[in-house]
Amino acid sequence: MWASGSTVFTAARFLAPVRRPRHGYRRTRAEVSAPSSGPAPHADSRKKVVVVGAGWAGLASAHHLCKQGFDVTLLESGSGPAEEIGIRGFWRPYRNIFSVIDELGIQCFTNWMSSALYSPAGMEVKFPVFQDLPWLPTPFGALLYPEFLNLPLVDRLTSVPLISAVIDFDNTDTAWRRYDTMTSRELFKQYGCSERLFQEVFEPFLHAGLFAPAEQCSAAASLGMLYYYILSHQKNFDVAWCRGAVEEKILLPWLESMRLNGLKFWENKRVTDFIINEDTSCISGLVCGQEVYKADAFVLAVGISTIQSTILSSPVLQSRQEFLSVLNLAAIDVISVKLWFDRKVEVPNAVNICFGSDDSISWTFFDLNSIYDEYQDELATVLEAEIYYANQLLPLKDEQIVKKVVAYLSGCVQGFKEAIVMQQNVVRHVKSTTHFFPGSYKHMLRGSTTFPNLFMAGDWIVTRHGSWSKEKAYVTGLEAANRVVDYLGEGEFAKIIAVEEDEPHIQTLRSLNRRVNEIRTQIPSFDFFL
């Protein structure tokens, strides 16, 4: 299955690079707009779909629609498919992603790995591989099994009352609207979480998972993310890693397999506007500068910054309030730093979350010698770090950023104090991750829009599935594909694997909570008796 240490690929075609247009070749408006005229007569009669965005969401949509026999064109603003910035690794509840990777026959994952949490004073918590330990009902496994090196048990126990908020937050629209107006900080304070537990455990996790300080994060998003990864099932916190760059090991082979099945892929295409049929209110064409791509249905599977740029240039999207509201959303800056050191430094855990190095900054670092096949035999240490909410570091020179990262690392692992950086690669991902700030939920789009044949996908799109990060992006991509199938009246729906059911005691408590809420709405004075 997915968490194995076997060979990455068995078929040479999966390793082939994506074939790209010859340098300097540019299709004219007529070439793009005209129906294809191949030797197969049935090709002209196929329904056309244009998918925008070659991340997890766009690839999911394109993959299913190609399998259903549609004429699919995939457009990407960059030079190829790219892994979304944000939560790294492949967590155990990513059931739909693991399913498609099994379908593709790609074996590229490590075994499940332990992880650690660091402060400037050193390691604070070590997290085990939870599925190797005896099962405890949620949330007790997450509370008792981690090795807390400094945090007293009395502080850890103050997290127990939070389970009442977890039970009340059932991922419905009502729950999102109720908790989205509150900050994460307010939520934990309201439910009695100790200041030390919050600062040393929950805040670093929220910052690494939502990419911003807790006082700038929605309580609804915090509950959704924490429940999905930590609190719903003991073993959900287990994570495996791709044994190389995700783009090379998964996304490019996936894209190539679709191209072999008829997908048309065009890179460096930025959507600037749409053409609308005034009689039907449907989109008839998508504009990329001087080119027009006509189709029967469209899927936009892009991040917030990209869709906002398109809205600003598109009078068609500006004509709808749902898209104007998207301009109220925000995205977060992330910096990734890859470092090659002059010596071998012993890193206790391959995956590490860190806090307290600088105000408003949380960061993670990964021991690539333990994760990537290509670095396993390296005599020196190769690391990658990601810094979240990094806007204050963006204007710095690469050397200044590297100096800060090495100082951070030295506070976590003593061996880095003497190590010298031999090679570096600094990448600034400007406005690259979704900011789930308090009040953001009401501005986020649903999968369907007021244009009957335009559908949305991405990790910021509202869905009731309950997943998070790349799994959520992938699921919304399948949901968009299903909406296309339904709209066009052709093909079969993609099968979407639901998140694992709540444990029995959580189901019972949520049922009771819903009943209490129903009574509360019917009897205004009911709270007096509680």
Side-chain angles (χ1 to χ4, degrees):
M1 284 290 289
W2 357 285
S4 66
S6 55
T7 304
V8 178
F9 294 115
T10 58
R13 69 182 177 87
F14 282 119
L15 288 173
V18 176
R19 296 187 295 273
R20 297 188 172 95
R22 290 170 298 176
H23 179 70
Y25 177 74
R26 182 178 181 84
R27 302 181 85 192
T28 65
R29 178 189 294 259
E31 286 179 285
V32 175
S33 302
S36 58
S37 56
H42 71 278
D44 291 339
S45 63
R46 289 187 300 159
K47 296 291 181 64
K48 298 180 183 295
V49 183
V50 171
V51 178
V52 181
W56 285 100
L59 291 173
S61 287
H63 179 72
H64 182 71
L65 293 170
C66 281
K67 289 198 300 183
Q68 301 312 303
F70 294 106
D71 182 353
V72 182
T73 298
L74 178 62
L75 307 178
E76 167 59 37
S77 60
S79 59
E83 164 79 325
E84 277 90 347
I85 303 302
I87 297 176
R88 304 289 291 274
F90 292 78
W91 300 69
R92 187 184 175 279
Y94 287 3
R95 302 164 78 183
N96 289 280
I97 284 180
F98 287 135
S99 177
V100 73
I101 291 174
D102 281 346
E103 176 188 332
L104 294 170
I106 298 175
Q107 297 179 4
C108 60
F109 292 116
T110 66
N111 294 314
W112 305 112
M113 286 187 165
S114 60
S115 57
L117 177 66
Y118 282 89
S119 74
M123 187 185 296
E124 299 287 346
V125 189
K126 182 175 180 179
F127 299 95
V129 176
F130 283 90
Q131 61 186 305
D132 292 343
L133 300 171
W135 174 82
L136 292 175
T138 187
F140 297 105
L143 182 65
L144 299 177
Y145 283 140
E147 184 180 351
F148 293 89
L149 304 182
N150 300 303
L151 188 68
L153 178 61
V154 65
D155 284 287
R156 284 179 269 160
L157 290 175
T158 63
S159 65
V160 174
L162 185 66
I163 198 66
S164 59
V166 170
I167 290 165
D168 190 46
F169 183 80
D170 56 2
N171 200 42
T172 60
D173 183 71
T174 299
W176 268 91
R177 292 183 182 278
R178 179 163 62 247
Y179 283 93
D180 190 55
T181 58
M182 185 189 307
T183 70
S184 300
R185 185 68 190 90
E186 292 169 337
L187 173 74
F188 283 85
K189 184 176 181 179
Q190 177 177 318
Y191 283 91
C193 178
S194 77
E195 188 67 21
R196 185 171 179 183
L197 175 63
F198 178 76
Q199 290 183 353
E200 296 183 10
V201 179
F202 283 116
E203 185 166 40
F205 270 110
L206 292 172
H207 202 149
L210 298 177
F211 323 117
E215 64 270 15
Q216 298 185 36
C217 293
S218 155
S222 302
L223 287 169
M225 189 267 294
L226 288 173
Y227 188 70
Y228 182 66
Y229 286 116
I230 302 174
L231 299 177
S232 58
H233 301 280
Q234 174 182 304
K235 52 192 176 182
N236 274 16
F237 194 66
D238 292 339
V239 59
W241 293 78
C242 184
R243 299 199 312 269
V246 170
E247 293 91 335
E248 297 175 5
K249 301 293 187 183
I250 300 175
L251 302 186
L252 282 171
W254 188 10
L255 177 59
E256 181 64 10
S257 71
M258 287 189 277
R259 288 173 64 106
L260 294 174
N261 287 324
L263 174 75
K264 294 184 285 292
F265 175 68
W266 297 100
E267 58 191 20
N268 300 315
K269 301 297 182 184
R270 191 178 76 85
V271 179
T272 53
D273 203 358
F274 297 84
I275 299 172
I276 186 172
N277 184 321
E278 298 291 350
D279 295 330
T280 63
S281 294
C282 289
I283 301 296
S284 59
L286 180 151
V287 182
C288 294
Q290 298 301 310
E291 301 172 340
V292 175
Y293 293 82
K294 293 185 177 180
D296 301 289
F298 300 84
V299 175
L300 293 186
V302 296
I304 286 175
S305 295
T306 301
I307 188 63
Q308 287 179 333
S309 176
T310 302
I311 293 168
L312 291 174
S313 66
S314 170
V316 170
L317 295 188
Q318 292 168 18
S319 69
R320 303 299 168 99
Q321 182 58 46
E322 62 191 318
F323 286 97
L324 290 176
S325 188
V326 171
L327 298 176
N328 292 313
L329 296 175
I332 294 170
D333 303 317
V334 176
I335 295 177
S336 63
V337 181
K338 192 172 181 180
L339 301 173
W340 287 258
F341 290 89
D342 67 337
R343 68 196 66 189
K344 196 72 171 179
V345 178
E346 188 65 30
V347 180
N349 295 276
V351 184
N352 307 276
I353 300 172
C354 311
F355 70 97
S357 301
D358 274 331
D359 290 341
S360 302
I361 284 179
S362 179
W363 61 290
T364 53
F365 72 93
F366 316 103
D367 176 16
L368 297 187
N369 299 85
S370 301
I371 298 174
Y372 281 18
D373 290 341
E374 63 183 297
Y375 299 129
Q376 285 185 354
D377 298 325
E378 282 275 350
L379 299 178
T381 299
V382 185
L383 286 181
E384 185 166 4
E386 279 194 347
I387 306 171
Y388 310 113
Y389 206 71
N391 47 298
Q392 60 185 310
L393 301 182
L394 287 179
L396 299 183
K397 296 181 179 179
D398 288 0
E399 292 73 17
Q400 294 174 299
I401 294 173
V402 169
K403 185 177 180 180
K404 279 184 171 289
V405 170
V406 172
Y408 297 162
L409 287 168
S410 299
C412 298
V413 180
Q414 292 293 314
F416 286 108
K417 289 186 176 180
E418 303 298 328
I420 298 173
V421 175
M422 303 300 294
Q423 186 178 343
Q424 65 193 44
N425 183 32
V426 178
V427 181
R428 295 162 177 80
H429 305 281
V430 179
K431 305 302 179 187
S432 59
T433 62
T434 304
H435 187 185
F436 294 93
F437 61 85
S440 60
Y441 177 76
K442 62 179 177 288
H443 302 301
M444 293 182 176
L445 290 174
R446 275 54 178 169
S448 297
T449 72
T450 53
F451 299 103
N453 65 335
L454 177 63
F455 308 101
M456 306 298 302
D459 71 349
W460 61 281
I461 299 301
V462 174
T463 175
R464 301 274 79 91
H465 184 263
S467 50
W468 205 257
S469 190
K470 61 173 67 73
E471 172 80 352
K472 180 182 178 184
Y474 180 82
V475 166
T476 60
L478 292 184
E479 290 176 341
N482 285 346
R483 291 184 171 99
V484 171
V485 168
D486 183 56
Y487 172 75
L488 297 178
E490 296 181 9
E492 296 182 357
F493 293 121
K495 294 179 181 179
I496 300 174
I497 304 171
V499 296
E500 192 172 353
E501 289 187 353
D502 294 330
E503 294 181 2
H505 64 292
I506 299 296
Q507 292 184 32
T508 300
L509 290 171
R510 280 189 165 166
S511 179
L512 290 173
N513 183 67
R514 282 191 291 269
R515 183 58 182 153
V516 168
N517 287 335
E518 289 171 1
I519 296 174
R520 181 180 284 119
T521 59
Q522 297 170 6
I523 306 176
S525 59
F526 180 73
D527 286 343
F528 175 79
F529 299 99
L530 296 179

